């Protein structure tokens, strides 16, 4: 039954239909998802990598287990074979990708920090999927610039996951849209940026959250009007925007 609140929101246009409020109303509900459908199905290597990462001081950067499961499923659904990842950290999303790809699948993985990748690498090797990964240490943008110069790289990627420096996402998008194939997918991670995308201007945000927020807002606006892609923004993890290239 519609409440007064629902009625008000419908009138103001915020919710087009009653019952479309955010599904995750509590931490308990999130725990329920993890415990019911994520952890019991998690690959043992993914679990081990999650445990290795949990001990690292920057563990807040890792992809969550439910998002890892989502990426793994998405890659299988689209039959991805040639993929790219920008922002590896200890490799949780990378492993989710590597496990989803066929034996001859490929991931070009880039990160400015190799040490963290090497923390996760023994687990990735044990899982038998390290041969799919071509890790390049260094900033991603110059690599993309080189790739874009060569026509044969155009339209060659089935899937690209972007989870690195948020102030460069727009720059990445300009290059990646050339490199992903028509019908292929780019996933931009953290597009709800800790919920800060709807924070009032005077909200007490942590310094880095505030700094990157404007870039995330710009990206979200740009993706929403880009005619070369179809998009779907999912409230999984910290928000992931799935972009399907259509031209
Ligand atoms: N996808 C990872 C996972 O599942 O654990 C998390 C990635 S973490 C949020 C962001 C990563 O981006 C960091 O490891 C950081 O070193 C990397 N990074 C930052 N700036 C970069 C750049 N310009 N090029 C490539 N990687 C960068
Ligand atoms: Ca992320």
């Amino acid at each position: 039954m519609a409440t007064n609140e629902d009625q008000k929101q419908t009138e103001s246009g915020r919710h087009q239909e009653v019952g479309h409020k955010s599904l995750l109303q509590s931490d308990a509900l999130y725990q329920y998802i993890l415990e019911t459908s994520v952890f019991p199905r998690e690959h043992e290597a993914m679990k081990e990598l999650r445990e290795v990462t949990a001990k690292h001081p920057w563990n807040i950067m890792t992809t969550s287990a439910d998002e890892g499961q989502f990426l793994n499923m998405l890659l299988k659904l689209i039959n991805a074979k040639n993929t790219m990842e920008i922002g590896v950290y200890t490799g949780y999303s990378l492993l989710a990708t590597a496990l989803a790809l066929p034996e001859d699948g490929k991931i070009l993985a880039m990160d400015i920090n190799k040490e963290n990748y090497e923390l996760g690498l023994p687990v990735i090797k044990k899982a038998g999927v390290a041969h799919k990964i071509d890790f390049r240490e260094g900033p991603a943008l110059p690599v993309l610039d080189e790739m874009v110069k060569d026509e044969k790289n155009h339209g060659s990627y089935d899937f690209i996951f972007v989870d690195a420096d948020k102030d460069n996402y727009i720059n990445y998008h300009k290059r990646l849209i050339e490199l992903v194939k028509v019908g292929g997918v780019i996933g931009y991670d953290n597009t709800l940026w800790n919920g800060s995308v709807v924070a009032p201007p005077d909200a007490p945000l942590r310094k880095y959250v505030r700094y990157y927020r404007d870039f995330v807002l710009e990206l979200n606006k740009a993706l929403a009007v880009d005619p070369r892609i179809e998009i779907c923004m999912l409230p999984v993890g910290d928000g992931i925007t799935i972009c399907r290239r259509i031209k």
Side-chain angles (χ1 to χ4, degrees), residues 50-218:
R50 199 156 46 75
E51 287 165 356
V52 167
T53 305
K55 295 185 198 125
H56 190 262
W58 305 341
N59 58 22
I60 192 175
M61 294 207 300
T62 192
T63 298
S64 61
D66 53 317
E67 185 173 0
Q69 186 185 51
F70 166 71
L71 290 172
N72 183 277
M73 171 71 86
L74 176 64
L75 285 152
K76 288 173 183 165
L77 289 174
I78 65 170
N79 286 317
K81 195 165 167 181
N82 194 31
T83 72
M84 188 194 300
E85 176 166 302
I86 305 177
V88 169
Y89 182 42
T90 61
Y92 192 78
S93 55
L94 185 64
L95 181 56
T97 304
L99 289 168
L101 299 186
E103 265 308 293
D104 59 346
K106 296 260 167 286
I107 315 167
L108 171 60
M110 291 175 264
D111 201 302
I112 48 175
N113 182 318
K114 193 175 181 185
E115 259 172 55
N116 294 331
Y117 170 61
E118 284 174 345
L119 268 181
L121 191 54
V123 184
I124 295 174
K125 282 187 176 154
K126 202 159 71 175
V129 291
H131 63 282
K132 301 177 191 175
I133 300 169
D134 171 11
F135 180 86
R136 311 258 183 100
E137 183 181 14
L141 207 56
V143 179
L144 299 182
D145 277 336
E146 276 309 303
M147 290 176 79
V148 167
K149 281 186 201 156
D150 188 346
E151 281 273 338
K152 82 172 188 320
N153 294 318
H154 289 204
S156 64
Y157 283 87
D158 303 309
F159 180 80
I160 301 171
F161 184 55
V162 183
D163 190 15
D165 42 342
K166 317 302 167 205
D167 43 351
N168 256 324
Y169 274 27
I170 291 261
N171 296 324
Y172 291 143
H173 187 62
K174 284 185 189 141
R175 281 113 178 132
L176 296 178
I177 198 70
E178 305 280 337
L179 301 174
V180 73
K181 71 178 185 192
V182 173
V185 172
I186 310 173
Y188 288 104
D189 202 34
N190 302 89
T191 50
L192 295 176
W193 199 231
N194 223 316
S196 69
V197 288
V198 292
D202 57 347
L205 302 175
R206 273 169 290 163
K207 216 171 159 190
Y208 84 95
V209 174
R210 178 169 299 284
Y211 172 74
Y212 289 112
R213 185 177 89 120
D214 290 346
F215 292 98
V216 174
L217 288 169
E218 279 308 306

Side-chain angles (χ1 to χ4, degrees), residues 23-37:
L23 189 61
L24 290 181
Q25 295 157 351
S26 67
D27 286 344
L29 202 46
Y30 181 53
Q31 278 306 317
Y32 176 81
I33 293 174
L34 291 177
E35 281 159 25
T36 310
S37 81

